Amino acid sequence: MTERPIDLSNYPSSQAAKRPVLSLRKFALMASVAAGLGAAVYGFGPSHGPIDVFTSTAHAQVHNEVRKVAQPVGFADIVERVKPSVISVKVAMGDKTAKDDSADKDDAPFQPGSPMERFFRRFGGPDGLPPGFRGGPRGGRGPATGQGSGFFISSDGYAVTNNHVVDGADKVEVTTDDGKTYSAKVIGTDPRTDLALIKVSGRTDFPFAKLSDGKPRIGDWVLAVGNPFGLGGTVTAGIVSASGRDIGNGPYDDFIQIDAPVNKGNSGGPAFDVSGEVMGVNTAIYSPSGGNVGIAFSIPASTVKSVVAQLKDKGTVSRGWIGVQIQPVTDDIADSLGMKKAEGALVAEPQANGPAAKAGIQSGDVITGVNGAPVKDAKELARTIGGMAPGNAVKLNVLHKGQEKVINLTLGQLPNTLEAKAAFDKDSGKSSRGADVPKLGMTVAPANSVAGAGKEGVVVTEVDPKSAAAERGFKEGDVILEVGGKSVASADDVREAISAARSDNKNSVLMRIKSGGSSRFVAVPLAKG
């Protein structure tokens, strides 16, 4: 379509020469934008001077309306409201002068072999330390310091941070958003959830944050505020990437995964929702390099509430306990037990004199429900029982040798110390090669013939790396206690149990093994023929 110039005959000729020529198309477009925004449109009429349409009243109104619509939503109002509640936490571990110069020691904040130590060795930086931790030189010489984040949960100075930030600290200091520094006291810690409660005294007007009552949805906005690399008061934004994450830290793993940039020093800081409430406490990052890669993990507010309430009340956390080692029910295990679905928690071993053992629960039983509510898997059972108070009476739905039954028991208190693990003398194990177990790819010997292996079961003395046993995780030193529900004490017992399973047309046989002081069931596929 040919564009026609606007008729300027009504304008004085001296002004017409100065006036820009607007096509009808451009003018119509401008008019339609103005009309669409509800703006008044003024006509062009005779004038004694040049009209600048870009500063006219009509265009100014249009410009203001467009600016309101086009401007992206920001978080400044939320940040202004919540940022004062966030604190930087600095700790001193005291004089860590080592008694010797052994090069294989360091100032890592976790006990060797502990769940948190294993997690950070796997997901932390090259030194395996958690975000925000800075240890002294190798060999332990000199003081060790750490830094992290936290936030007030009450006006009288109670604040939440991570256990690994303050664990073992001789001195804790917090710096508020206005730059003031205060001494803090550790009220209580909970290593199992990596939470700690600290207290700052001297004021009753601290700005504080509220823990959310709701559960975040995947895709919700999230704001992380904290002290990355010592740069206090840093705000980053992202979304909730996933929920219910299990990162291998322990049976109570139920992390929120977020993609808001979180780095070393953010540990213990809050993750806010768009209502300005704390949806979680940032505790760990997945980072091959030690820096942000967009995967961070937060402890849900619901967990924080429960733990903090107990820490404030008595300084420790008490959890319900039934006294069993449990594991997931895999498809192979479900097939071996004749279950239609792979669900519930398989009891690998009840602890002697524990509530479950006293109530009659046995190895091989599957716990499928608690107080009538179904149990999806072993993690859910651990969280459900752990969320109950010791002394509570519960009803467990149990599948025992194919029969469903209900067992009543009273919860004990989860012990705070781990049992010592028996060690296997590999040299002794290798001295007795054992007897072959056909088509499984391993050799076994009676446990009572191998030093350190105990008196029950048979010890795995050799595993073919290309065998079915190796694929299922068997290794030298494992002790096989049961095969197909029958106790075994020799290679012949193992062979007979496998033959019986084949005779029953089973695709796999369930074995109960002891490894590193704990028991578990393994479904091993049976070769045909």
Side-chain angles (χ1 to χ4, degrees), residues 347-371:
V347 177
E349 185 176 358
Q351 185 168 328
N353 299 319
K358 291 178 180 179
I361 293 178
Q362 301 176 10
S363 296
D365 287 350
V366 179
I367 300 175
T368 59
V370 177
N371 291 333

Side-chain angles (χ1 to χ4, degrees), residues 361-427:
I361 293 178
Q362 301 176 10
S363 296
D365 287 350
V366 179
I367 300 175
T368 59
V370 177
N371 291 333
V375 170
K376 181 176 65 175
D377 52 30
K379 287 286 184 182
E380 186 173 57
L381 176 64
R383 287 194 293 266
T384 301
I385 297 298
M388 297 180 177
N392 280 2
V394 298
K395 294 182 179 181
L396 301 180
N397 299 92
V398 177
L399 183 65
H400 176 72
K401 295 183 178 179
Q403 300 295 319
E404 295 183 0
K405 59 181 182 179
V406 176
I407 293 180
N408 298 304
L409 57 80
T410 301
L411 297 180
Q413 180 170 326
L414 182 67
N416 289 322
T417 56
L418 298 176
E419 294 184 354
K421 295 182 178 181
F424 170 66
D425 187 339
K426 289 189 176 181
D427 291 335

Side-chain angles (χ1 to χ4, degrees), residues 65-126:
E65 293 296 331
V66 171
R67 184 170 56 185
K68 290 178 182 179
V69 173
Q71 185 177 6
V73 177
F75 303 107
D77 290 340
I78 301 172
V79 172
E80 186 177 354
R81 181 158 52 94
V82 303
K83 191 166 171 279
S85 67
V86 183
I87 58 177
S88 297
V89 181
K90 185 177 181 180
V91 302
M93 304 295 180
D95 188 0
K96 296 292 183 179
T97 302
K99 296 181 180 180
D100 58 69
D101 292 328
S102 174
D104 61 357
K105 292 186 177 182
D106 57 31
D107 288 315
F110 311 119
Q111 293 295 325
S114 69
M116 290 304 291
E117 191 269 348
R118 290 196 303 270
F119 172 75
F120 284 111
R121 290 293 173 192
R122 181 180 178 190
F123 293 124

Side-chain angles (χ1 to χ4, degrees), residues 449-484:
S449 68
V450 179
K455 297 180 180 180
E456 298 180 344
V458 295
V459 179
V460 177
T461 57
E462 191 174 345
V463 179
D464 181 349
K466 298 181 180 180
S467 66
E471 290 178 356
R472 290 301 188 274
F474 282 88
K475 59 183 183 298
E476 292 182 19
D478 287 346
V479 179
I480 301 174
L481 300 173
E482 295 178 4
V483 179

